[in-house]
Amino acid sequence: MTYDVFVVGGGPSGATAAEDLARAGKRVAMLDRAGRIKPCGGAIPPRAIADFKIPADQIVAKIETARMISPTGRSVDIHIENGYVGMVDREHFDEFLRVRAVQAGADRLTGTYLRIERDVDGTHVVWRDKVSGNEVRSRAKLVIGADGARSDVARDEVPGGDTIPYVIAYHEIIKAPAANKDYDPKRCDVIYDGRISPDFYGWVFPHGDQASVGMGTGVDGVNLKQATADLRASSGLTGCETIRKEGAPIPLRPLDRWDNGRDVVLAGDAAGVVAPSSGEGIYYAMLGGRVAATAAQACLASGKAKDLKLARKLFMKDNKTVFKVLRSMQDAYYKSDERRERFVSLCHDTDVQKLTFEAYMNKKLVAARPLAHIKIGIKNVAHLLGWVKPSWT
Ligand SMILES: Cc1cc2nc3c(=O)[nH]c(=O)nc-3n(C[C@H](O)[C@H](O)[C@H](O)COP(=O)(O)OP(=O)(O)OC[C@H]3O[C@@H](n4cnc5c(N)ncnc54)[C@H](O)[C@@H]3O)c2cc1C
């Protein structure tokens, strides 16, 4: 039998692609190697919950405040108006998405992608079955590579797929303490401090009974475990029981091409798609899966490989500007403690808070009062040119 689409990877991007394709009546396979919980802070915005119909029982914590902490320990609490940031546990969330794809009609396969082969009979995904250990050859008209950061499908099939830059993120899942003066189960802490991360940030994300404490960096030689131990100490979390310790790469830049011009298209981390500044990837992975499924359907209908380009085009239409703004923010403010101090100062401005949270929560760049934009622009320039003290708000 020939699959219309063979999806490699059953994370948020692959499971979403498989579900959408199955719902559209396509014969679809979803291959995942299984057996590992994806290391992830698990924060998702309301837009993800709404667009991808995430049920309430997947949300293990509702975050109402974000606390931004500067290198000198100054902090600002940003209260999330009209909503919350949802926290999912990837152990259960990914499985929920995979089961939902199967219920929609996708074939679930468990094993490891090995390579793609082409012959007179068409395109075949070769994979190793987890139970039997045998190599299996599955014929498919199209392949979606949704196998995460450092994707084998991207490396094998798409130009530049093996050269995506990464930060390495590491976190420890701990048993959450009872609420106390340092820890609030409804508050995320985001720590901008060169001692924790010289080029990204550290975090404390509550997850109900558990919490994720971690940091990311693209700088070689940083001791991620020590940085996380320091973060736990400064957050009063050293004594909490550690449940898991794990790390993984976060891609830094979307690839210029997501398809191979023939029969493969990438989605999610495999395509390098994670928001700069925040490292947010779950929503973008699910959206990536959705646009890859749309592009695959267009290609199946037309028989034209160029329709696979639709995936990147659709994604960029809505997200290019946000990614650009977030990239310039990261480039400008994540490079030294002085700049990080200035960044936290800017976050004191309620107009900055409103605009950034609207962009995060609903994925929209909203127009604020014109005077607010002018004020933010001036504050930004004043900080970047050093006209004001780093602590000036
Ligand atoms: C420490 C850390 C914290 C993070 N925190 C957040 C956060 O709070 N919020 C947020 O939005 N994002 C966060 N991210 C980013 C987010 O986790 C990713 O962007 C997201 O998981 C990407 O989804 P995906 O489906 O593209 O890839 P993945 O989730 O990586 O899924 C890929 C799937 O492919 C499978 N696979 C891989 N290789 C093969 C193979 N050869 N054969 C078969 N199957 C294979 C894997 O088993 C996996 O299930 C974080 C990342 C890290 C590392």
mmCIF file of all heavy atoms in Angstrom, residues 23-66:
data_model
loop_
_atom_site.group_PDB
_atom_site.id
_atom_site.type_symbol
_atom_site.label_atom_id
_atom_site.label_comp_id
_atom_site.label_asym_id
_atom_site.label_seq_id
_atom_site.Cartn_x
_atom_site.Cartn_y
_atom_site.Cartn_z
ATOM 1 N N ARG A 23 -7.777 13.800 8.983
ATOM 2 C CA ARG A 23 -9.124 14.409 8.954
ATOM 3 C C ARG A 23 -9.538 14.772 7.530
ATOM 4 O O ARG A 23 -10.712 14.774 7.197
ATOM 5 C CB ARG A 23 -9.163 15.680 9.819
ATOM 6 C CG ARG A 23 -9.254 15.364 11.272
ATOM 7 C CD ARG A 23 -9.713 16.515 12.138
ATOM 8 N NE ARG A 23 -9.393 16.229 13.523
ATOM 9 C CZ ARG A 23 -10.003 15.296 14.257
ATOM 10 N NH1 ARG A 23 -10.986 14.598 13.747
ATOM 11 N NH2 ARG A 23 -9.634 15.068 15.495
ATOM 12 N N ALA A 24 -8.541 15.100 6.700
ATOM 13 C CA ALA A 24 -8.845 15.453 5.312
ATOM 14 C C ALA A 24 -9.008 14.198 4.442
ATOM 15 O O ALA A 24 -9.145 14.300 3.218
ATOM 16 C CB ALA A 24 -7.739 16.346 4.761
ATOM 17 N N GLY A 25 -8.949 13.019 5.069
ATOM 18 C CA GLY A 25 -9.200 11.775 4.335
ATOM 19 C C GLY A 25 -7.980 11.194 3.651
ATOM 20 O O GLY A 25 -8.099 10.302 2.805
ATOM 21 N N LYS A 26 -6.787 11.676 4.007
ATOM 22 C CA LYS A 26 -5.573 11.142 3.368
ATOM 23 C C LYS A 26 -5.080 9.903 4.114
ATOM 24 O O LYS A 26 -5.298 9.775 5.322
ATOM 25 C CB LYS A 26 -4.455 12.208 3.381
ATOM 26 C CG LYS A 26 -4.836 13.498 2.702
ATOM 27 C CD LYS A 26 -5.100 13.285 1.240
ATOM 28 C CE LYS A 26 -5.790 14.475 0.605
ATOM 29 N NZ LYS A 26 -6.599 14.112 -0.553
ATOM 30 N N ARG A 27 -4.385 9.018 3.386
ATOM 31 C CA ARG A 27 -3.758 7.859 4.036
ATOM 32 C C ARG A 27 -2.427 8.335 4.609
ATOM 33 O O ARG A 27 -1.530 8.749 3.849
ATOM 34 C CB ARG A 27 -3.506 6.748 3.009
ATOM 35 C CG ARG A 27 -4.712 5.822 2.845
ATOM 36 C CD ARG A 27 -4.537 4.957 1.632
ATOM 37 N NE ARG A 27 -4.376 5.813 0.454
ATOM 38 C CZ ARG A 27 -4.122 5.388 -0.761
ATOM 39 N NH1 ARG A 27 -3.951 4.128 -1.007
ATOM 40 N NH2 ARG A 27 -4.018 6.230 -1.775
ATOM 41 N N VAL A 28 -2.339 8.344 5.928
ATOM 42 C CA VAL A 28 -1.166 8.962 6.538
ATOM 43 C C VAL A 28 -0.549 8.059 7.606
ATOM 44 O O VAL A 28 -1.264 7.406 8.378
ATOM 45 C CB VAL A 28 -1.529 10.378 7.089
ATOM 46 C CG1 VAL A 28 -2.733 10.340 7.985
ATOM 47 C CG2 VAL A 28 -0.377 11.032 7.828
ATOM 48 N N ALA A 29 0.790 8.017 7.593
ATOM 49 C CA ALA A 29 1.525 7.291 8.633
ATOM 50 C C ALA A 29 2.239 8.309 9.513
ATOM 51 O O ALA A 29 2.701 9.342 9.020
ATOM 52 C CB ALA A 29 2.555 6.372 7.989
ATOM 53 N N MET A 30 2.319 8.017 10.813
ATOM 54 C CA MET A 30 3.068 8.880 11.740
ATOM 55 C C MET A 30 4.074 7.983 12.468
ATOM 56 O O MET A 30 3.687 7.113 13.243
ATOM 57 C CB MET A 30 2.087 9.520 12.732
ATOM 58 C CG MET A 30 2.749 10.337 13.822
ATOM 59 S SD MET A 30 1.512 10.969 14.996
ATOM 60 C CE MET A 30 0.840 9.458 15.656
ATOM 61 N N LEU A 31 5.355 8.198 12.172
ATOM 62 C CA LEU A 31 6.411 7.373 12.774
ATOM 63 C C LEU A 31 7.068 8.136 13.912
ATOM 64 O O LEU A 31 7.494 9.281 13.734
ATOM 65 C CB LEU A 31 7.479 7.057 11.708
ATOM 66 C CG LEU A 31 8.750 6.370 12.217
ATOM 67 C CD1 LEU A 31 8.479 4.902 12.583
ATOM 68 C CD2 LEU A 31 9.869 6.444 11.162
ATOM 69 N N ASP A 32 7.147 7.524 15.080
ATOM 70 C CA ASP A 32 7.897 8.145 16.177
ATOM 71 C C ASP A 32 8.721 7.079 16.870
ATOM 72 O O ASP A 32 8.266 5.949 17.055
ATOM 73 C CB ASP A 32 6.970 8.827 17.190
ATOM 74 C CG ASP A 32 7.736 9.833 18.047
ATOM 75 O OD1 ASP A 32 8.372 9.420 19.042
ATOM 76 O OD2 ASP A 32 7.731 11.027 17.693
ATOM 77 N N ARG A 33 9.932 7.473 17.295
ATOM 78 C CA ARG A 33 10.786 6.427 17.894
ATOM 79 C C ARG A 33 10.378 6.135 19.324
ATOM 80 O O ARG A 33 10.718 5.093 19.861
ATOM 81 C CB ARG A 33 12.261 6.796 17.785
ATOM 82 C CG ARG A 33 12.651 8.026 18.507
ATOM 83 C CD ARG A 33 14.130 8.311 18.269
ATOM 84 N NE ARG A 33 14.393 9.691 18.647
ATOM 85 C CZ ARG A 33 15.406 10.393 18.229
ATOM 86 N NH1 ARG A 33 16.271 9.862 17.398
ATOM 87 N NH2 ARG A 33 15.586 11.620 18.633
ATOM 88 N N ALA A 34 9.671 7.070 19.952
ATOM 89 C CA ALA A 34 9.092 6.867 21.293
ATOM 90 C C ALA A 34 10.154 6.588 22.356
ATOM 91 O O ALA A 34 11.326 6.400 22.058
ATOM 92 C CB ALA A 34 8.072 5.735 21.287
ATOM 93 N N GLY A 35 9.719 6.593 23.610
ATOM 94 C CA GLY A 35 10.617 6.207 24.699
ATOM 95 C C GLY A 35 11.349 7.342 25.366
ATOM 96 O O GLY A 35 12.100 7.133 26.308
ATOM 97 N N ARG A 36 11.150 8.594 24.897
ATOM 98 C CA ARG A 36 11.850 9.712 25.533
ATOM 99 C C ARG A 36 10.895 10.886 25.682
ATOM 100 O O ARG A 36 10.186 11.218 24.731
ATOM 101 C CB ARG A 36 13.049 10.146 24.692
ATOM 102 C CG ARG A 36 13.852 11.224 25.391
ATOM 103 C CD ARG A 36 15.095 11.640 24.607
ATOM 104 N NE ARG A 36 15.876 12.594 25.383
ATOM 105 C CZ ARG A 36 16.278 13.772 24.923
ATOM 106 N NH1 ARG A 36 15.970 14.146 23.708
ATOM 107 N NH2 ARG A 36 16.984 14.586 25.681
ATOM 108 N N ILE A 37 10.875 11.461 26.866
ATOM 109 C CA ILE A 37 10.050 12.650 27.066
ATOM 110 C C ILE A 37 10.825 13.845 26.526
ATOM 111 O O ILE A 37 11.994 14.030 26.850
ATOM 112 C CB ILE A 37 9.756 12.879 28.568
ATOM 113 C CG1 ILE A 37 9.096 11.642 29.179
ATOM 114 C CG2 ILE A 37 8.886 14.114 28.771
ATOM 115 C CD1 ILE A 37 9.048 11.659 30.703
ATOM 116 N N LYS A 38 10.205 14.642 25.683
ATOM 117 C CA LYS A 38 10.888 15.807 25.111
ATOM 118 C C LYS A 38 11.198 16.818 26.221
ATOM 119 O O LYS A 38 10.275 17.287 26.907
ATOM 120 C CB LYS A 38 9.972 16.437 24.057
ATOM 121 C CG LYS A 38 10.339 17.838 23.645
ATOM 122 C CD LYS A 38 11.544 17.895 22.734
ATOM 123 C CE LYS A 38 11.968 19.348 22.552
ATOM 124 N NZ LYS A 38 13.139 19.494 21.707
ATOM 125 N N PRO A 39 12.475 17.187 26.416
ATOM 126 C CA PRO A 39 12.788 18.208 27.405
ATOM 127 C C PRO A 39 12.157 19.530 26.974
ATOM 128 O O PRO A 39 12.382 19.986 25.854
ATOM 129 C CB PRO A 39 14.314 18.318 27.352
ATOM 130 C CG PRO A 39 14.779 17.074 26.666
ATOM 131 C CD PRO A 39 13.681 16.681 25.736
ATOM 132 N N CYS A 40 11.355 20.135 27.837
ATOM 133 C CA CYS A 40 10.637 21.334 27.411
ATOM 134 C C CYS A 40 10.000 22.021 28.621
ATOM 135 O O CYS A 40 9.488 21.329 29.513
ATOM 136 C CB CYS A 40 9.544 20.942 26.410
ATOM 137 S SG CYS A 40 8.604 22.323 25.749
ATOM 138 N N GLY A 41 10.028 23.358 28.621
ATOM 139 C CA GLY A 41 9.388 24.114 29.698
ATOM 140 C C GLY A 41 7.872 24.005 29.653
ATOM 141 O O GLY A 41 7.189 24.223 30.649
ATOM 142 N N GLY A 42 7.326 23.708 28.474
ATOM 143 C CA GLY A 42 5.898 23.411 28.359
ATOM 144 C C GLY A 42 4.959 24.605 28.420
ATOM 145 O O GLY A 42 3.761 24.431 28.634
ATOM 146 N N ALA A 43 5.476 25.830 28.193
ATOM 147 C CA ALA A 43 4.587 27.007 28.246
ATOM 148 C C ALA A 43 3.924 27.219 26.892
ATOM 149 O O ALA A 43 4.608 27.259 25.865
ATOM 150 C CB ALA A 43 5.403 28.249 28.612
ATOM 151 N N ILE A 44 2.607 27.330 26.896
ATOM 152 C CA ILE A 44 1.908 27.603 25.626
ATOM 153 C C ILE A 44 0.934 28.774 25.782
ATOM 154 O O ILE A 44 0.306 28.935 26.824
ATOM 155 C CB ILE A 44 1.174 26.367 25.048
ATOM 156 C CG1 ILE A 44 0.158 25.786 26.047
ATOM 157 C CG2 ILE A 44 2.152 25.307 24.609
ATOM 158 C CD1 ILE A 44 -0.752 24.727 25.423
ATOM 159 N N PRO A 45 0.799 29.579 24.733
ATOM 160 C CA PRO A 45 -0.080 30.748 24.810
ATOM 161 C C PRO A 45 -1.537 30.374 24.520
ATOM 162 O O PRO A 45 -1.807 29.317 23.931
ATOM 163 C CB PRO A 45 0.468 31.644 23.695
ATOM 164 C CG PRO A 45 0.983 30.690 22.677
ATOM 165 C CD PRO A 45 1.504 29.495 23.436
ATOM 166 N N PRO A 46 -2.485 31.243 24.892
ATOM 167 C CA PRO A 46 -3.902 30.974 24.625
ATOM 168 C C PRO A 46 -4.194 30.705 23.153
ATOM 169 O O PRO A 46 -5.061 29.921 22.813
ATOM 170 C CB PRO A 46 -4.597 32.275 25.057
ATOM 171 C CG PRO A 46 -3.654 32.933 25.985
ATOM 172 C CD PRO A 46 -2.279 32.508 25.602
ATOM 173 N N ARG A 47 -3.452 31.345 22.282
ATOM 174 C CA ARG A 47 -3.664 31.139 20.847
ATOM 175 C C ARG A 47 -3.470 29.662 20.472
ATOM 176 O O ARG A 47 -4.224 29.107 19.662
ATOM 177 C CB ARG A 47 -2.678 32.038 20.066
ATOM 178 C CG ARG A 47 -2.705 31.886 18.578
ATOM 179 C CD ARG A 47 -3.913 32.578 17.949
ATOM 180 N NE ARG A 47 -4.012 32.239 16.540
ATOM 181 C CZ ARG A 47 -3.548 32.976 15.542
ATOM 182 N NH1 ARG A 47 -2.983 34.144 15.802
ATOM 183 N NH2 ARG A 47 -3.671 32.582 14.299
ATOM 184 N N ALA A 48 -2.467 29.021 21.087
ATOM 185 C CA ALA A 48 -2.234 27.595 20.811
ATOM 186 C C ALA A 48 -3.392 26.758 21.339
ATOM 187 O O ALA A 48 -3.856 25.822 20.679
ATOM 188 C CB ALA A 48 -0.918 27.136 21.455
ATOM 189 N N ILE A 49 -3.856 27.106 22.545
ATOM 190 C CA ILE A 49 -4.938 26.334 23.164
ATOM 191 C C ILE A 49 -6.196 26.427 22.293
ATOM 192 O O ILE A 49 -6.882 25.431 22.056
ATOM 193 C CB ILE A 49 -5.201 26.863 24.596
ATOM 194 C CG1 ILE A 49 -3.955 26.646 25.461
ATOM 195 C CG2 ILE A 49 -6.431 26.192 25.219
ATOM 196 C CD1 ILE A 49 -3.983 27.300 26.829
ATOM 197 N N ALA A 50 -6.456 27.632 21.767
ATOM 198 C CA ALA A 50 -7.658 27.837 20.954
ATOM 199 C C ALA A 50 -7.502 27.203 19.565
ATOM 200 O O ALA A 50 -8.362 26.423 19.133
ATOM 201 C CB ALA A 50 -7.935 29.325 20.828
ATOM 202 N N ASP A 51 -6.414 27.506 18.890
ATOM 203 C CA ASP A 51 -6.279 27.062 17.494
ATOM 204 C C ASP A 51 -6.187 25.535 17.383
ATOM 205 O O ASP A 51 -6.621 24.955 16.389
ATOM 206 C CB ASP A 51 -5.006 27.642 16.858
ATOM 207 C CG ASP A 51 -5.181 29.097 16.483
ATOM 208 O OD1 ASP A 51 -6.197 29.685 16.888
ATOM 209 O OD2 ASP A 51 -4.289 29.648 15.801
ATOM 210 N N PHE A 52 -5.589 24.908 18.404
ATOM 211 C CA PHE A 52 -5.367 23.466 18.287
ATOM 212 C C PHE A 52 -6.216 22.678 19.287
ATOM 213 O O PHE A 52 -5.922 21.513 19.577
ATOM 214 C CB PHE A 52 -3.868 23.159 18.431
ATOM 215 C CG PHE A 52 -3.066 23.825 17.351
ATOM 216 C CD1 PHE A 52 -2.364 24.991 17.606
ATOM 217 C CD2 PHE A 52 -3.085 23.340 16.051
ATOM 218 C CE1 PHE A 52 -1.669 25.650 16.599
ATOM 219 C CE2 PHE A 52 -2.386 23.979 15.043
ATOM 220 C CZ PHE A 52 -1.681 25.145 15.310
ATOM 221 N N LYS A 53 -7.256 23.352 19.777
ATOM 222 C CA LYS A 53 -8.256 22.691 20.640
ATOM 223 C C LYS A 53 -7.609 21.823 21.716
ATOM 224 O O LYS A 53 -7.845 20.613 21.806
ATOM 225 C CB LYS A 53 -9.204 21.842 19.776
ATOM 226 C CG LYS A 53 -9.975 22.688 18.774
ATOM 227 C CD LYS A 53 -11.057 21.886 18.087
ATOM 228 C CE LYS A 53 -11.945 22.752 17.225
ATOM 229 N NZ LYS A 53 -11.259 23.624 16.256
ATOM 230 N N ILE A 54 -6.786 22.469 22.533
ATOM 231 C CA ILE A 54 -6.129 21.751 23.629
ATOM 232 C C ILE A 54 -7.121 21.693 24.793
ATOM 233 O O ILE A 54 -7.561 22.737 25.287
ATOM 234 C CB ILE A 54 -4.836 22.485 24.095
ATOM 235 C CG1 ILE A 54 -3.902 22.792 22.911
ATOM 236 C CG2 ILE A 54 -4.130 21.671 25.170
ATOM 237 C CD1 ILE A 54 -3.477 21.614 22.106
ATOM 238 N N PRO A 55 -7.483 20.493 25.231
ATOM 239 C CA PRO A 55 -8.492 20.403 26.297
ATOM 240 C C PRO A 55 -7.931 20.843 27.653
ATOM 241 O O PRO A 55 -6.720 20.772 27.893
ATOM 242 C CB PRO A 55 -8.835 18.909 26.320
ATOM 243 C CG PRO A 55 -7.671 18.230 25.722
ATOM 244 C CD PRO A 55 -7.004 19.189 24.772
ATOM 245 N N ALA A 56 -8.851 21.269 28.518
ATOM 246 C CA ALA A 56 -8.455 21.834 29.813
ATOM 247 C C ALA A 56 -7.616 20.852 30.632
ATOM 248 O O ALA A 56 -6.715 21.272 31.365
ATOM 249 C CB ALA A 56 -9.714 22.227 30.581
ATOM 250 N N ASP A 57 -7.870 19.525 30.485
ATOM 251 C CA ASP A 57 -7.134 18.593 31.353
ATOM 252 C C ASP A 57 -5.659 18.431 30.951
ATOM 253 O O ASP A 57 -4.892 17.789 31.650
ATOM 254 C CB ASP A 57 -7.848 17.235 31.448
ATOM 255 C CG ASP A 57 -7.945 16.531 30.099
ATOM 256 O OD1 ASP A 57 -7.407 17.068 29.102
ATOM 257 O OD2 ASP A 57 -8.562 15.447 30.034
ATOM 258 N N GLN A 58 -5.255 19.019 29.820
ATOM 259 C CA GLN A 58 -3.827 19.015 29.467
ATOM 260 C C GLN A 58 -3.080 20.183 30.114
ATOM 261 O O GLN A 58 -1.855 20.219 30.106
ATOM 262 C CB GLN A 58 -3.647 19.092 27.935
ATOM 263 C CG GLN A 58 -3.958 17.795 27.219
ATOM 264 C CD GLN A 58 -3.022 16.667 27.621
ATOM 265 O OE1 GLN A 58 -1.834 16.884 27.826
ATOM 266 N NE2 GLN A 58 -3.558 15.471 27.751
ATOM 267 N N ILE A 59 -3.812 21.150 30.623
ATOM 268 C CA ILE A 59 -3.174 22.348 31.195
ATOM 269 C C ILE A 59 -2.943 22.098 32.684
ATOM 270 O O ILE A 59 -3.883 22.120 33.471
ATOM 271 C CB ILE A 59 -4.060 23.607 30.995
ATOM 272 C CG1 ILE A 59 -4.485 23.743 29.524
ATOM 273 C CG2 ILE A 59 -3.364 24.869 31.493
ATOM 274 C CD1 ILE A 59 -3.367 23.966 28.545
ATOM 275 N N VAL A 60 -1.676 21.864 33.056
ATOM 276 C CA VAL A 60 -1.398 21.482 34.451
ATOM 277 C C VAL A 60 -1.199 22.701 35.351
ATOM 278 O O VAL A 60 -1.193 22.569 36.568
ATOM 279 C CB VAL A 60 -0.173 20.541 34.550
ATOM 280 C CG1 VAL A 60 -0.464 19.215 33.870
ATOM 281 C CG2 VAL A 60 1.079 21.188 33.972
ATOM 282 N N ALA A 61 -1.007 23.879 34.751
ATOM 283 C CA ALA A 61 -0.917 25.107 35.550
ATOM 284 C C ALA A 61 -1.326 26.276 34.672
ATOM 285 O O ALA A 61 -1.104 26.261 33.456
ATOM 286 C CB ALA A 61 0.500 25.312 36.075
ATOM 287 N N LYS A 62 -1.971 27.254 35.320
ATOM 288 C CA LYS A 62 -2.354 28.472 34.607
ATOM 289 C C LYS A 62 -1.551 29.627 35.205
ATOM 290 O O LYS A 62 -1.699 29.935 36.387
ATOM 291 C CB LYS A 62 -3.850 28.731 34.780
ATOM 292 C CG LYS A 62 -4.716 27.699 34.088
ATOM 293 C CD LYS A 62 -6.184 28.017 34.271
ATOM 294 C CE LYS A 62 -7.032 27.012 33.490
ATOM 295 N NZ LYS A 62 -8.468 27.255 33.639
ATOM 296 N N ILE A 63 -0.714 30.211 34.379
ATOM 297 C CA ILE A 63 0.200 31.239 34.872
ATOM 298 C C ILE A 63 -0.430 32.618 34.677
ATOM 299 O O ILE A 63 -0.864 32.963 33.577
ATOM 300 C CB ILE A 63 1.552 31.140 34.112
ATOM 301 C CG1 ILE A 63 2.169 29.752 34.325
ATOM 302 C CG2 ILE A 63 2.505 32.261 34.520
ATOM 303 C CD1 ILE A 63 2.418 29.351 35.758
ATOM 304 N N GLU A 64 -0.439 33.396 35.753
ATOM 305 C CA GLU A 64 -1.103 34.709 35.695
ATOM 306 C C GLU A 64 -0.125 35.876 35.741
ATOM 307 O O GLU A 64 -0.509 37.014 35.510
ATOM 308 C CB GLU A 64 -2.086 34.811 36.872
ATOM 309 C CG GLU A 64 -3.220 33.798 36.723
ATOM 310 C CD GLU A 64 -4.098 33.686 37.957
ATOM 311 O OE1 GLU A 64 -3.813 34.355 38.966
ATOM 312 O OE2 GLU A 64 -5.071 32.909 37.894
ATOM 313 N N THR A 65 1.136 35.581 36.085
ATOM 314 C CA THR A 65 2.132 36.661 36.196
ATOM 315 C C THR A 65 3.469 36.182 35.631
ATOM 316 O O THR A 65 3.842 35.023 35.837
ATOM 317 C CB THR A 65 2.366 37.021 37.691
ATOM 318 O OG1 THR A 65 1.119 37.345 38.276
ATOM 319 C CG2 THR A 65 3.312 38.196 37.858
ATOM 320 N N ALA A 66 4.149 37.083 34.948
ATOM 321 C CA ALA A 66 5.531 36.786 34.535
ATOM 322 C C ALA A 66 6.437 37.754 35.286
ATOM 323 O O ALA A 66 6.213 38.970 35.248
ATOM 324 C CB ALA A 66 5.690 36.964 33.035
#
